Amino acid sequence: MKVMVVWKTVPGKYKTAVEQFLRTGGLPGAGAKSIGRWHVPGSVLGWHLFEVDDMTAIAQHVAEWADLLEIEAYPVVDDATAGAAAKKVFGK
């Protein structure tokens, strides 16, 4: 399954978060594959898309950054999957 992690730096922790990112690469541990990551230039906001079989890997990754980032994780589907579900509901 794909999971979109949305983060925002905790006020006062931007420099520390950037230093940790530069030191570690900010990649997940075993069980989560990074698909892509996007940053808003000049902002504290960003997104990280993962492929996982088990949400445990996401829970661990979130815990590793919890003191520096406000994080929300959302299971997501692509257009084809969303379209197929909509077709079943609306019959078109």
Side-chain angles (χ1 to χ4, degrees):
M1 107 178 61
K2 289 183 177 66
V3 179
M4 181 67 74
V5 172
V6 181
W7 80 83
K8 183 176 174 183
T9 308
V10 170
K13 297 290 187 172
Y14 180 78
K15 183 178 178 191
T16 304
V18 170
E19 289 170 345
Q20 182 167 314
F21 168 71
L22 293 173
R23 185 175 63 256
T24 68
L27 294 174
K33 177 184 174 190
S34 176
I35 303 298
R37 182 170 35 207
W38 300 267
H39 305 256
V40 178
S43 172
V44 297
L45 181 64
W47 300 266
H48 199 162
L49 181 61
F50 295 99
E51 180 78 40
V52 299
D53 292 327
D54 180 344
M55 289 294 288
T56 303
I58 296 299
Q60 179 179 339
H61 187 65
V62 167
E64 291 168 348
W65 287 89
D67 60 332
L68 302 173
L69 305 175
E70 295 173 8
I71 304 170
E72 296 179 9
Y74 303 96
V76 295
V77 296
D78 59 20
D79 282 353
T81 303
K87 187 173 185 177
K88 285 183 179 181
V89 172
F90 298 108
K92 296 185 181 192

